[in-house]
Amino acid sequence: MKINTWFGVLGIGRTGEVLESELFSKDIRELARRSIALQENMQDIPPAGFDLKAAAIECRFVESSAEYYSLLHEVTLEAAKLQVSGALTPDQRIIQAVEALDDINETTNSLSERLFEWYGGYFPESGLNGEALALFIAKYGSRENIGSEDPLYSKARNSMGAKLEAADEILLKSFSESVCSLYERKRQIEAYIQDSMGSIAPNLNLIAGPMLGARLISIAGSLEKLANFPSSTIQVIGASRALFKHLRARAPSPKHGIIYSHPLINTAPWWVRGKIARALAAKLSLAARIDFYSGEKDASLVEKLETKVQQIRASNPKPPQKKQDSGVKPKKKRRK
Amino acid sequence: MTEVKNLSEGIFEVVKDKKQLATKNLDPGKLVYGEKLIPVEGVEYRTWDPRRSKLGAMVLKKFNIPLKEDSKVLYLGAASGTTVSHVSDIVSEGAVYAVEFAPRSMRDLIGLASRRKNVHPILADAGKPDSYAHIVEPVDLIFQDVAQPNQAQIAARNAASYLKRDGYLLLSIKARSIDTVANPKEVFKEEIKKLEQAFESKFEILNAKDLMPYHEDHMGILAKPI
């Protein structure tokens, strides 16, 4: 019987004794590569309970048990390193980008609010906030520096705001510059996601748009996992709280998770949103599968989705009638 | 005055201000996850947080931990290596085959394994034991902490291939990952029944206890093959 081991190919007898052996050289990298290949093909594996270490010593691959373990340690470590470095697929980069974008959004929002409060004491009439305010402060600093060509000139002249001291002005200006650069990074990441979604998941990109598509991949964990999800799961991704409430208690099931941000759903009247969400999720799941397994762009998906949505809208033109209350409260179902 | 009590082979209770679970540090001077180092009479002990380690919780729940200095262990679901580091401390002359499926966790585990000669990391799916058959030798203990819906089946498959006849299976069952909705007690009962009967390799359950207060909705099980 022929068996594959990490240190060589062995021919063994019925009781596990080594009859012949073709040993590999003790090159760590080479052994690690072979080990990974064996892990994938799973051919001629040793029988259950086969003592690899005893066999390695018996066929003189190593002299001692200590040598066996120290070599095995280096080989498994090297193999794991090779596998980890190969595991960083393009969809993982997108996931990092999406999560970085969420972090940046959160940070810029709270920093912008801080800036608004802070500068509000010096120029409350500006009417600016967010990036516009940050740009304004970075440009002028104190409202006294504002030029007469600026539309805010007269407001700045007659402002009830306090006078901005030089030390505070320096601080506020550099703070605003940081905020501005965060807005800049945000646009840069968005552009990056848009670019890479087109090449990594073209169909998903077409149906969901880059941001929603990237978010779906991010929550699923990878494009592969997203492709393996049933469409009913895709429909409620991002609504896990509502979903588990529904599963545990008698709460209604969620109609949509983050796919709510898709224009087909959030512009639809409320009574067809659930139906459209279902149709959209079905096509998203198809798109993710095509993207993961073939990668070819299929424009017919979008058309089919649009026809389906029109059908749904056409057959449900009016909101459903509310059920008449018969005066008697329906008996509560017992909790399981 | 620091007092050291031996709880089980390689596992200690160090009393310094309060009682703490600990193992002898195999990698002196180095921390793995922010635990404490307590030197006592020239030996460095590393404290073991039962709230972060199911095996640690099992020790405190008075499980018999069948580990010796030279034991071989197949550890399924090694994650970042928090518990693996303590197993590696205990089996200082043995070997730990640490199987983990997630590349992200494996990154941390590699860091740990490169400092500890008895840890052999394997990036593989514990549900496919054949994929590491060319590496793993017969072992004295399989420890499983994988939190998968079919974890009993995974344990049985690995035991059939790698567990010595006189070896033990130690596993932590996470009720919430088997059925998010069902009552944990029912889930535990079901899983124990599975281990006893459902698969080709059957087990005798030696001990089964929940891991409260250290881990919610978890149960520790010690079993041996029949």
Side-chain angles (χ1 to χ4, degrees):
Chain A
M1 182 181 167
K2 192 188 115 186
I3 58 166
N4 283 319
T5 71
W6 66 274
F7 52 85
V9 182
L10 308 180
I12 57 165
R14 283 216 180 146
T15 52
E17 76 277 15
V18 181
L19 302 174
E20 48 183 336
S21 58
E22 182 204 317
L23 302 175
F24 303 145
S25 82
K26 287 183 187 170
D27 177 59
I28 304 293
R29 208 145 232 261
E30 199 46 47
L31 285 169
R33 284 218 188 86
R34 280 218 172 87
S35 171
I36 295 171
L38 284 176
Q39 197 177 333
E40 274 148 25
N41 87 359
M42 292 191 258
Q43 297 286 313
D44 299 322
I45 58 163
F50 184 74
D51 193 339
L52 287 168
K53 182 184 57 171
I57 297 174
E58 193 185 332
C59 66
R60 296 288 170 97
F61 177 70
V62 288
E63 296 293 321
S64 64
S65 154
E67 193 194 348
Y68 177 84
Y69 285 124
S70 108
L71 205 55
L72 176 64
H73 176 78
E74 286 185 59
V75 172
T76 51
L77 199 58
E78 181 66 27
K81 282 181 187 168
L82 287 173
Q83 283 170 299
V84 166
S85 67
L88 201 72
T89 46
D91 57 342
Q92 295 302 312
R93 295 202 287 270
I94 285 218
I95 291 176
Q96 291 300 334
V98 170
E99 291 181 2
L101 186 66
D102 288 342
D103 291 345
I104 284 197
N105 275 336
E106 206 175 301
T107 323
T108 24
N109 282 343
S110 61
L111 291 182
S112 292
E113 264 172 56
R114 169 61 48 226
L115 196 62
F116 182 77
E117 287 302 313
W118 195 349
Y119 197 66
Y122 303 107
F123 186 17
E125 294 88 351
S126 74
L128 300 170
N129 58 21
E131 195 180 7
L133 178 65
L135 284 169
F136 176 85
I137 303 171
K139 190 172 169 194
Y140 296 118
S142 166
R143 69 184 147 82
E144 284 160 16
N145 305 333
I146 194 166
S148 53
E149 76 290 347
D150 198 287
L152 285 170
Y153 180 72
S154 65
K155 275 187 183 170
R157 287 262 109 154
N158 308 318
S159 172
M160 64 174 166
K163 186 176 158 35
L164 188 57
E165 299 294 333
D168 297 53
E169 186 177 2
I170 294 170
L171 205 56
L172 267 164
K173 260 185 125 163
S174 45
F175 189 85
S176 316
E177 276 156 21
S178 309
V179 176
C180 288
S181 83
L182 278 175
Y183 278 107
E184 196 53 46
R185 282 301 85 67
K186 182 179 152 181
R187 280 191 288 272
Q188 192 183 5
I189 294 180
E190 277 168 351
Y192 171 83
I193 292 175
Q194 262 157 21
D195 284 352
S196 22
M197 275 300 284
S199 58
I200 290 161
N203 292 295
L204 196 61
N205 189 29
L206 216 57
I207 293 191
M211 291 318 296
L212 178 58
R215 287 232 153 76
L216 285 170
I217 297 178
S218 159
I219 297 179
S222 69
L223 184 57
E224 181 178 13
K225 282 186 190 158
L226 187 66
N228 285 332
F229 278 167
S231 79
S232 55
T233 302
I234 293 182
Q235 191 186 343
V236 295
I237 280 180
S240 43
R241 272 187 61 154
L243 178 66
F244 285 116
K245 208 172 163 191
H246 163 65
L247 291 174
R248 290 216 173 92
R250 279 175 297 124
S253 63
K255 290 197 282 292
H256 30 59
I258 60 161
I259 63 168
Y260 180 74
S261 68
H262 195 282
L264 276 179
I265 297 181
N266 63 20
T267 59
W270 58 266
W271 62 91
V272 289
R273 279 180 190 166
K275 295 180 192 351
I276 294 178
R278 209 167 341 118
L280 175 63
K283 289 292 180 276
L284 286 174
S285 133
L286 278 178
R289 285 169 202 184
I290 299 174
D291 287 337
F292 183 70
Y293 291 104
S294 94
E296 277 165 39
K297 212 165 171 176
D298 181 359
S300 71
L301 270 180
V302 181
E303 288 165 27
K304 283 179 194 156
L305 177 62
E306 269 161 13
T307 354
K308 178 83 189 163
V309 169
Q310 271 159 16
Q311 266 176 25
I312 293 174
R313 283 182 163 228
S315 51
N316 299 280
K318 283 184 191 147
Q321 292 295 307
K322 268 200 174 165
K323 275 179 201 144
Q324 285 294 315
D325 241 342
S326 55
V328 191
K329 273 195 174 172
K331 216 175 165 187
K332 276 191 180 173
K333 265 191 235 161
R334 289 198 77 176
R335 249 180 96 168
K336 219 174 154 187
Chain B
M1 184 60 215
T2 319
E3 219 180 293
V4 177
K5 203 170 93 187
N6 198 339
L7 295 179
S8 163
E9 205 169 321
I11 306 174
F12 305 88
E13 184 184 82
V14 178
V15 187
K16 188 187 181 189
D17 307 327
K18 57 181 180 194
K19 287 182 186 174
Q20 288 178 97
L21 197 61
T23 52
K24 278 185 195 171
N25 196 356
L26 192 64
D27 185 14
K30 289 281 173 194
L31 294 172
V32 178
Y33 58 101
E35 68 280 30
K36 271 190 214 123
L37 297 177
I38 305 176
V40 184
E41 291 162 7
V43 184
E44 188 177 87
Y45 291 91
R46 212 155 55 83
T47 60
W48 188 357
D49 185 352
R51 288 175 194 280
R52 296 192 51 177
S53 162
K54 274 132 225 167
L55 185 59
M58 287 185 206
V59 174
L60 293 183
K61 282 287 196 169
K62 304 274 190 292
F63 272 80
N64 165 36
I65 307 294
L67 283 176
K68 296 195 186 73
E69 201 181 43
D70 61 349
S71 293
K72 316 285 182 283
V73 182
L74 175 58
Y75 193 121
L76 307 173
S80 305
T82 313
T83 306
V84 173
S85 72
H86 289 288
V87 176
S88 145
D89 280 352
I90 299 167
V91 300
S92 51
E93 301 294 318
V96 185
Y97 296 92
V99 179
E100 172 56 46
F101 191 41
R104 175 65 192 86
S105 302
M106 185 46 91
R107 225 157 75 195
D108 297 339
L109 190 61
I110 287 172
L112 179 89
S114 59
R115 304 196 52 86
R116 289 168 176 264
K117 295 281 167 225
N118 58 359
V119 177
H120 310 302
I122 302 171
L123 182 76
D125 182 354
K128 290 183 193 149
D130 286 354
S131 67
Y132 38 89
H134 60 290
I135 301 173
V136 179
E137 61 178 320
V139 296
D140 304 289
L141 174 74
I142 293 182
F143 179 74
Q144 188 205 43
D145 181 11
V146 294
Q148 290 290 317
N150 62 337
Q151 66 176 117
Q153 188 186 19
I154 294 174
R157 274 196 204 151
N158 279 282
S161 302
Y162 304 114
L163 194 57
K164 287 182 187 168
R165 302 223 59 172
D166 56 351
Y168 291 89
L169 174 69
L170 197 56
L171 61 153
S172 136
I173 301 257
K174 184 179 174 190
R176 290 278 172 248
S177 62
I178 291 166
D179 190 328
T180 47
V181 189
N183 179 351
K185 278 192 185 128
E186 299 293 322
V187 177
F188 293 145
K189 233 187 257 170
E190 203 58 29
E191 293 302 300
I192 287 177
K193 211 191 272 170
K194 274 190 207 162
L195 282 174
E196 283 175 334
Q197 294 161 0
F199 310 107
E200 225 161 272
S201 45
K202 300 190 180 359
F203 298 91
E204 183 192 343
I205 307 291
L206 302 173
N207 198 350
K209 269 185 228 155
D210 68 66
L211 300 182
M212 293 291 275
Y214 310 107
H215 300 273
E216 217 169 289
D217 296 337
H218 280 74
M219 173 172 258
I221 295 178
L222 176 64
K224 74 174 202 208
I226 302 177

